[in-house]
Amino acid sequence: MACSLLSYVAVAWLKVAPIQHLKSQKQFFKISALGIIFCLSVVGGNVSLKYLPVSFNQAVGATTPFFTAVFAYLMTLKREGWLTYVTLVPVVTGVIIASGGEPSFHLFGFIMCISATAARALKTVLQGILLSSDGEKLNSMNLLMYMAPVAAIFLLPAALIMEKDVVGITIALARQDVEFLWYLMFNSSLAYFVNLTNFLVTKHTSALTLQVLGNAKGAVAVVVSILIFRNPVSVTGMAGYTLTVIGVILYNEAKRQSK
């Protein structure tokens, strides 16, 4: 809800961008679908973390560009250069190798993780359509303003079901330390800027580029996870992670040469 509120303040009060009204029921359904898919990616990702270490979770997430390329072609018929698709091979292969060498592999956790990854890719393609389609194009702030309430409506029941007594725990923490509320507000503000930046990058580059850039964050998360949580990593797993990172570098080079 903070994302919706901050976007409304930006467009209605600060006039950072012109406010746009929904033009059709079809457009509303697309935005609702975007919000629901976002929720599925969040829930699936959080559930997978219960069964898989962060490092392996991030390695699986590195396959998002592959799913993005598939969905982009199916939904928009947009093709990348053949070299770009070739560079996705080591990205996916690296995850397959890492899966085989992961000491903490869990099948259900892996299924939830790969489902969340596919949902994240689908969301990226759909938001690209909403940000650029003729006749129904929305700017980033307006799209975030309309999508956020839909996501909140679907995430709230999931939080209440999956996190027992979450309301009571939140109230108790706020009573113990008032700074906790400031942390929540700060985190909400960061979430707003992350989502806004996500939309802006999608609009000015492409859905596939956004996900490949996100793999740089994933590589850092893998290293930090291993250092902080000390989760076991095999030589095979490290080889898989390394191959995925190499694939990301090759992808960026292929995109640069295609321009």
Side-chain angles (χ1 to χ4, degrees):
M1 291 305 293
C3 291
S4 182
L5 178 61
L6 290 173
S7 290
Y8 179 78
V9 170
V11 299
W13 293 358
L14 301 179
K15 307 295 183 183
V16 175
I19 190 167
Q20 296 172 292
H21 300 286
L22 297 183
K23 297 179 180 179
S24 65
Q25 195 174 48
K26 181 180 178 181
Q27 188 181 35
F28 171 74
F29 284 141
K30 286 181 181 179
I31 294 173
S32 299
L34 181 65
I36 294 171
I37 293 168
F38 170 73
C39 293
L40 293 175
S41 69
V42 171
V43 172
N46 287 345
V47 170
S48 70
L49 286 172
K50 183 179 179 180
Y51 302 96
L52 300 174
V54 176
S55 55
F56 183 59
N57 187 286
Q58 291 296 324
V60 174
T63 60
T64 309
F66 169 77
F67 289 103
T68 304
V70 172
F71 286 131
Y73 177 72
L74 293 176
M75 297 174 67
T76 66
L77 299 180
K78 179 180 179 181
R79 291 185 178 182
E80 300 284 347
W82 68 270
L83 187 59
T84 301
Y85 289 119
V86 169
T87 60
L88 294 178
V89 174
V91 174
V92 178
T93 304
V95 172
I96 295 174
I97 294 174
S99 301
E102 175 55 49
S104 305
F105 181 82
H106 190 283
L107 181 59
F108 177 72
F110 178 75
I111 292 173
M112 293 303 296
C113 188
I114 205 72
S115 299
T117 300
R120 195 179 307 121
L122 181 58
K123 168 187 169 290
T124 305
V125 174
L126 183 55
Q127 75 189 27
I129 293 173
L130 286 165
L131 288 166
S132 60
S133 62
D134 295 331
E136 294 182 338
K137 181 164 58 177
L138 291 170
N139 63 48
S140 300
M141 287 189 177
N142 281 273
L143 179 57
L144 191 55
M145 180 177 68
Y146 290 123
M147 186 204 79
V150 177
I153 290 171
F154 281 89
L155 275 179
L156 184 58
L160 294 175
I161 293 171
M162 298 174 65
E163 301 180 32
K164 304 299 182 184
D165 196 29
V166 64
V167 177
I169 294 173
T170 303
I171 294 174
L173 288 172
R175 286 177 176 173
Q176 291 175 11
D177 189 354
V178 180
E179 290 186 358
F180 177 72
L181 294 176
W182 290 104
Y183 293 147
L184 283 180
M185 287 189 285
F186 178 66
N187 185 62
S188 298
S189 299
L190 284 180
Y192 166 72
F193 287 110
V194 167
N195 282 288
L196 180 61
T197 303
N198 186 304
F199 287 167
L200 288 170
V201 172
T202 302
K203 180 178 181 180
H204 294 290
T205 56
S206 70
L208 185 57
T209 297
L210 172 68
Q211 294 304 333
V212 172
L213 289 174
N215 280 354
K217 177 207 72 175
V220 174
V222 168
V223 176
V224 172
S225 167
I226 295 171
L227 293 176
I228 294 178
F229 299 109
R230 305 291 181 181
N231 51 275
V233 180
S234 66
V235 175
T236 305
M238 285 304 300
Y241 299 151
T242 302
L243 183 59
T244 295
V245 173
I246 291 173
V248 173
I249 296 172
L250 292 175
Y251 171 86
N252 289 329
E253 180 62 22
K255 291 290 289 185
R256 186 185 66 81
Q257 291 181 5
S258 67
K259 292 181 180 179

